[in-house]
Amino acid sequence: MANIVQFENVGLRYGTGQDAGQETLSDISFTLRSGAFYFLTGASGAGKTSLLKLLYLAQRPSRGIIRLFGEDAVLLPRDRMPGFRRRIGVVFQDFRLVPHLSTWDNIALPLRVAGMAEASIRQPVEEMLAWVGLAARADARPATLSGGEQQRVAIARAVIARPEMLVADEPTGNVDPDMAERLLHLFDSLNKLGTTVVVATHDLHLLNRIPNAQMMRLDKGRLLDPTGSLRYPPPPRMDA
């Protein structure tokens, strides 16, 4: 399998000049293989959401190299950003549903943006509604949905166009255990069709549900290796 993502010595610092704070992410280096499944774990504040933002091009790094789909994502021209983003499905922690659209239309949105004919949209949307258990809520607006229902709409919208890469930030945080298992099965099925999946989670019970998944762990903005040590430790201090 080829690499779909490559990070080399990536750092992220919010703010500029005198307003810049300490690095949120430091010396991050890894590769993601096309068609693989990854869990990204770490304590609250470890930098998981910031790392995902770099993956789906919502944030540019302060330093380092990011290659995505074989191209330099840091230097990617703005006019090519929309095309790249359409290749990535994203499940946000805060859902980001379009408030004036129904459940049906929120889920259909990526297919319409991609230019699919309306006659071809109905079947996949209705199948997705049934899969996430929201067929009876097809006409409901987001404000009338529970948090778990909004999360399911957000997940359905992210996966309906079968993106090349799916990035999910705590996708099971607002659903019950049975629905969490069902959604994870949906991610696994999508992965088996060839989509690279990255799921950020603090729910350790999920980690054994996908036997072939690989683990990535962040600690205070640094990536750890499987033993729990810093994968790319800082150089040793030199005595004065």
Side-chain angles (χ1 to χ4, degrees):
M1 291 186 294
N3 292 337
I4 195 170
V5 174
Q6 184 176 6
F7 277 47
E8 294 182 14
N9 299 316
V10 170
L12 176 63
R13 188 190 309 271
Y14 290 104
T16 58
Q18 294 182 346
D19 295 328
Q22 294 184 337
E23 282 195 328
T24 301
L25 299 171
S26 298
D27 302 317
I28 302 293
S29 296
F30 65 87
T31 57
L32 301 184
R33 304 290 285 174
S34 179
F37 195 118
Y38 298 88
F39 281 114
L40 176 63
T41 68
S44 178
K48 299 190 298 296
T49 296
S50 292
L51 180 53
L52 295 187
K53 286 180 178 179
L54 294 175
L55 278 176
Y56 61 79
L57 302 176
Q59 188 76 40
R60 291 183 185 265
S62 305
R63 59 184 176 89
I65 297 170
I66 298 177
R67 296 189 65 80
L68 184 60
F69 306 122
E71 297 193 50
D72 189 329
V74 179
L75 301 179
L76 194 69
R78 287 188 178 275
D79 61 352
R80 295 193 60 203
M81 281 283 190
F84 260 62
R85 287 174 175 151
R86 282 196 291 271
R87 300 167 72 178
I88 306 168
V90 185
V91 181
F92 301 98
Q93 269 187 311
D94 55 356
F95 315 137
R96 302 194 190 180
L97 303 178
V98 182
H100 65 275
L101 295 182
S102 67
T103 295
W104 203 100
D105 288 321
N106 264 286
I107 295 173
L109 189 59
L111 302 181
R112 286 173 169 153
V113 169
M116 182 178 289
E118 286 293 320
S120 301
I121 288 175
R122 180 166 298 279
Q123 181 177 347
V125 172
E126 291 183 350
E127 288 176 352
M128 190 60 64
L129 279 166
W131 182 263
V132 297
L134 290 172
R137 304 287 277 153
D139 295 327
R141 298 294 190 271
T144 68
L145 301 174
S146 69
E149 288 171 333
Q150 290 184 56
Q151 182 69 297
R152 283 183 271 162
V153 176
I155 291 170
R157 182 183 61 184
V159 305
I160 193 168
R162 288 180 53 179
E164 293 177 55
M165 181 167 67
L166 175 69
V167 177
D169 194 357
E170 301 286 358
T172 60
N174 292 281
V175 298
D176 61 47
D178 289 342
M179 183 53 68
E181 291 276 358
R182 188 171 181 177
L183 294 177
L184 199 62
H185 176 65
L186 174 61
F187 293 157
D188 187 36
S189 298
L190 192 68
N191 175 245
K192 288 175 179 175
L193 291 173
T195 297
T196 304
V197 177
V198 183
V199 176
T201 183
H202 67 275
D203 187 349
L204 300 181
H205 296 292
L206 296 179
L207 303 184
N208 296 322
R209 297 296 192 269
I210 309 294
N212 297 321
Q214 301 181 49
M215 306 296 172
M216 299 171 62
R217 183 181 171 194
L218 279 171
D219 182 56
K220 298 177 182 177
R222 291 181 179 272
L223 200 62
L224 306 184
D225 70 15
T227 69
S229 302
L230 283 174
R231 184 175 295 182
Y232 298 98
R237 294 181 60 183
M238 302 297 291
D239 294 332

